[in-house]
Amino acid sequence: MSKIQPIRNRIFAGLLILSAALTLLILRLAWVQLVMKNQTVPGKTYSLAKLAEIQSERETVLDSGRGRLLDRSGAALAGETIWTAVLFPQQEVVRGASGPAAGGEPLRRLAAILGVSPEQLQSRRSALKEPLLWPDPAGKMPLALTAAQAEEVKGLGIDGVYALPFTRRYDGQVMGRQWLGYLSEASKLPGEPAPPSGLRIPLTGTDGLEKTLEPLLHGVGHTEAYVQVDARGHRLPGSPVKLRSPANPYYPLSLYTTINRQLQGGIEELAVQAGMKEGAIVVLDTEAGDIEAMVSLPFYNPARISPQGGEWNNRALQAAVPGSIFKIVTAAAALEAGVTSPDEQFYCSGQYEKYGLSCMHGKGHGPLTLAQGFAVSCNTVFASLAERLSGGQIQAAASALGLGREIGWQSEDILGLKLLKPLAGEQRGTIFTTLLGDDSGARVQTAIGQRDVRMTPLQAANLIVTLLHGGEVRAPRILQRVAFANGQKLADLPAHVSPSAAGRISEATARQLLSWMRKVVTEGTGSSLKNIRWPVAGKSGTAQTSVKGQPRNNQWFIGYGPVDHPRYAVAVAVENVAPGSPHTATRLFGQVFDLLATSPDV
């Protein structure tokens, strides 16, 4: 009996341990099934079975599923599909071979297409553990193949090598299209788990249209090519390359902008050739106020953003000191208030006698009318007008012409959004930081576009459109319609006006100012533009400013053309140049109009 009891005790203890282990296993299975049934990553929830499957796959994303940004005719601005070579891990049975003999002539031909030696290609191919989108020579973007090259790659029949369509967001080049914005990784919410191995954090719009249109651009899933692999990363024998996509006929959406891609690129080239370092060039269609081109300098690369550099800031939406182009507003205020007439006589000695104000280089213009004073941009004439006006009258005229306030197109309760505002980030600009109605010195400086006055290049171009519409302010539009992936229209976004609480200037005043702008070119500061392809009209400006304590100038030229049937309004702002520099803004204005006159796509 004494021997049997210890055996029973050991059996009982063993049963207890087994029961405890079984209980823990049951609890663990319950935890997995009930608590860890799904695992969430930013933007998606995966089951454990799905995660296990993912772990045995090697995939590469061919299309993020993000909506396309297109120009007015459908050319890709962001989301262009190209052909590229994709190399997948080889099957284990063919590993160990090396050198061009492993693939023979097909491998040599592939190497030539990809721009490397057969040895380099085979070395990289044999070491693959993950699919490889073959990079361009800079190593930053997938190499774009021509359609003929893609067909040839398909026909080579090399194991694990395919030519597949790839949708690249940007082409990796620097550009002046800051209105596009850029993408960055979506921020992980507090308490949200890190994504499992093999899963990607989605990219989200961080600035420009990518940010303001994020609710429309956000896709419903990506398209990927994948293969099954073993534990060592070898492709399983007989495992084909498969494609997986959301297969949704409506997404991704196509968003058609008003931009003319060809014109945009041409103006970017002109700016570089002119040596322009900072500033913006804006081209608006005069009929609807649509933005056909908007170039900002310095250029940026949306695929490689430097947060410290600031190149991604859109200078076309940032307010700068306008100088004498603001004399359009002063003249409008004076004509509307009835304190002057086009034929009123003034006398300019070169010095205004008060406030230290002088005309350019201190040279006098002698006797001249208001119309002549506008053409030669006489400071004396406009200082005299400022002393007759109140600050409120100048402020009201500016607002009536679309200055000192946001003017970009926007709409409420559209496409499921409370507010659609594509040009978010547009600065309002200022006329007076405080309304100094009794300070004649402040009014005089303001009248010539100095002191507190700030204007964006977009506002400046739209000011011209406003005059061409008899004083009615249009809201510049950059997005015109949205369509589903199958081409079906989702919504049109019609142009609209942007009225001011201050009212509008009269059609007579608008006509008068437009005629004076023609005099600027025929008799005044824009006379260098007399011989360009189209007759144009406009107003020049040079504003004094400073950068880090050093005196600098902003150069402006804004106007319209052709004069007889205006089609385009253009604003050129060349910022922060050395005083005394040649007036690059005027020259660029003429070059832009020559481009418009000769381009077949305008």
Side-chain angles (χ1 to χ4, degrees):
M1 186 69 180
S2 59
K3 294 182 179 179
I4 296 176
Q5 188 62 39
I7 295 174
R8 288 178 175 174
N9 291 341
R10 285 195 294 271
I11 293 174
F12 182 72
L15 289 173
L16 282 178
I17 293 171
L18 183 60
S19 298
L22 185 59
T23 300
L24 289 174
L25 179 60
I26 293 172
L27 291 174
R28 173 61 179 168
L29 288 174
W31 171 267
V32 169
Q33 291 297 320
L34 299 177
V35 181
M36 294 184 62
K37 181 178 179 180
N38 296 312
Q39 187 158 350
T40 300
V41 296
K44 201 158 187 179
T45 299
Y46 293 89
S47 67
L48 289 177
K50 183 63 178 176
L51 289 174
E53 181 183 341
I54 289 172
Q55 296 299 326
S56 67
E57 295 174 355
R58 294 295 180 266
E59 50 83 26
T60 185
V61 174
L62 300 176
D63 185 346
S64 69
R66 190 170 180 82
R68 280 54 163 151
L69 288 168
L70 310 172
D71 85 342
R72 65 181 190 178
S73 61
L77 296 168
E80 179 182 18
T81 299
I82 61 170
W83 287 99
T84 194
V86 186
L87 280 60
F88 291 88
Q90 295 176 256
Q91 298 180 40
E92 186 174 13
V93 293
V94 299
R95 287 181 173 271
S98 62
E105 182 56 34
L107 189 71
R108 281 189 285 271
R109 182 56 196 152
L110 176 63
I113 293 173
L114 301 182
V116 295
S117 70
E119 292 79 11
Q120 290 172 321
L121 172 59
Q122 182 60 15
S123 174
R124 193 159 189 183
R125 179 171 169 249
S126 62
L128 283 179
K129 297 291 186 181
E130 302 281 345
L132 171 68
L133 295 166
W134 192 266
D136 62 14
K140 298 175 181 178
M141 305 289 292
L143 178 69
L145 303 177
T146 65
Q149 288 175 328
E151 287 300 316
E152 187 173 1
V153 170
K154 292 177 185 178
L156 292 176
I158 300 176
D159 177 60
V161 178
Y162 295 82
L164 297 174
F166 172 78
T167 302
R168 63 185 182 188
R169 198 66 191 168
Y170 313 111
D171 62 8
Q173 303 300 311
V174 295
M175 59 181 72
R177 306 172 195 184
Q178 284 83 344
W179 39 266
L180 277 175
Y182 60 95
L183 303 177
S184 63
E185 287 187 350
S187 300
K188 187 171 72 69
L189 297 175
E192 194 174 58
S197 175
L199 297 178
R200 287 174 166 78
I201 297 177
L203 298 179
T204 186
T206 310
D207 198 67
L209 296 180
E210 295 281 22
K211 180 178 180 180
T212 60
L213 304 179
E214 175 66 28
L216 302 174
L217 293 171
H218 187 74
V220 295
H222 58 250
T223 297
E224 59 189 16
Y226 66 98
V227 294
Q228 297 292 325
V229 298
D230 60 23
R232 291 173 294 178
H234 301 163
R235 195 167 92 251
L236 295 178
S239 171
V241 173
K242 300 178 181 179
L243 295 179
R244 181 163 48 212
S245 67
N248 187 316
Y250 299 106
Y251 291 88
L253 296 178
S254 294
L255 282 71
Y256 289 81
T257 68
T258 60
I259 295 293
N260 180 330
R261 177 176 171 173
Q262 179 180 337
L263 178 63
Q264 175 81 25
I267 295 176
E268 288 175 359
E269 291 181 12
L270 289 176
V272 171
Q273 293 167 4
M276 183 175 172
K277 303 298 182 184
E278 298 178 56
I281 303 171
V282 177
V283 179
L284 299 182
D285 159 54
T286 58
E287 181 62 32
D290 286 345
I291 301 170
E292 297 225 2
M294 183 188 288
V295 176
S296 175
L297 290 99
F299 287 173
Y300 86 128
N301 181 349
R304 296 177 65 84
I305 291 296
S306 170
Q308 295 79 21
E311 293 87 357
W312 47 270
N313 285 314
N314 188 353
R315 295 293 185 98
L317 302 181
Q318 294 185 326
V321 186
S324 292
I325 64 169
F326 191 79
K327 290 173 181 175
I328 297 171
V329 177
T330 305
L335 291 171
E336 291 291 285
V339 299
T340 188
S341 65
D343 297 326
E344 181 183 357
Q345 291 287 327
F346 297 82
Y347 183 83
C348 171
S349 65
Q351 303 293 328
Y352 186 58
E353 299 178 357
K354 292 187 289 185
Y355 316 119
L357 188 67
S358 65
C359 277
M360 185 66 70
H361 309 303
K363 296 179 180 178
H365 293 108
L368 72 174
T369 65
L370 174 56
Q372 292 169 331
F374 186 97
V376 298
S377 201
C378 177
N379 284 343
T380 295
V381 169
F382 285 87
S384 301
L385 296 179
E387 295 209 76
R388 304 175 191 176
L389 294 166
S390 69
Q393 288 171 318
I394 297 174
Q395 181 87 37
S399 180
L401 291 168
L403 307 181
R405 58 191 179 94
E406 294 180 0
I407 52 159
W409 184 98
Q410 57 182 285
S411 181
E412 296 179 348
D413 298 320
I414 187 170
L415 292 168
L417 304 174
K418 290 183 178 179
L419 177 65
L420 179 59
K421 189 177 179 182
L423 292 179
E426 174 195 1
Q427 295 183 355
R428 299 168 61 90
T430 57
I431 310 303
F432 298 97
T433 52
T434 57
L435 194 56
L436 302 172
D438 296 327
D439 187 337
S440 60
R443 294 199 308 276
V444 165
Q445 288 294 323
T446 298
I448 61 172
Q450 293 285 160
R451 197 179 173 92
D452 301 329
V453 185
R454 300 291 185 274
M455 183 190 306
T456 71
L458 178 63
Q459 289 173 332
N462 201 57
L463 166 60
I464 302 299
V465 174
T466 297
L467 296 176
L468 290 168
H469 281 266
E472 181 182 67
V473 182
R474 314 295 292 180
R477 182 178 63 156
I478 196 170
L479 182 65
Q480 58 175 314
R481 64 188 173 95
V482 181
F484 290 114
N486 61 8
Q488 180 182 347
K489 182 175 69 175
L490 175 57
D492 283 323
L493 308 173
H496 64 70
V497 297
S498 179
S500 167
R504 54 182 285 182
I505 67 169
S506 67
E507 291 188 24
T509 294
R511 286 194 301 271
Q512 186 71 78
L513 293 169
L514 292 170
S515 69
W516 289 351
M517 287 183 200
R518 181 57 182 159
K519 282 184 174 292
V520 169
V521 174
T522 58
E523 304 174 16
T525 56
S527 59
S528 62
L529 300 171
K530 284 192 290 189
N531 297 320
I532 67 173
R533 288 181 172 87
W534 278 348
V536 295
K539 181 72 185 76
S540 63
T542 301
Q544 297 175 346
T545 183
S546 66
V547 177
K548 297 180 180 178
Q550 297 298 314
R552 308 295 284 176
N553 284 349
N554 291 342
Q555 300 176 350
W556 294 76
F557 202 97
I558 66 175
Y560 65 95
V563 168
D564 295 337
H565 50 284
R567 294 175 58 189
Y568 301 100
V570 174
V572 180
V574 181
E575 299 177 17
N576 303 331
V577 300
S581 299
H583 210 274
T584 303
T586 302
R587 177 161 56 92
L588 265 173
F589 179 89
Q591 291 173 337
V592 168
F593 266 100
D594 278 344
L595 179 64
L596 289 166
T598 57
S599 176
D601 192 36
V602 299

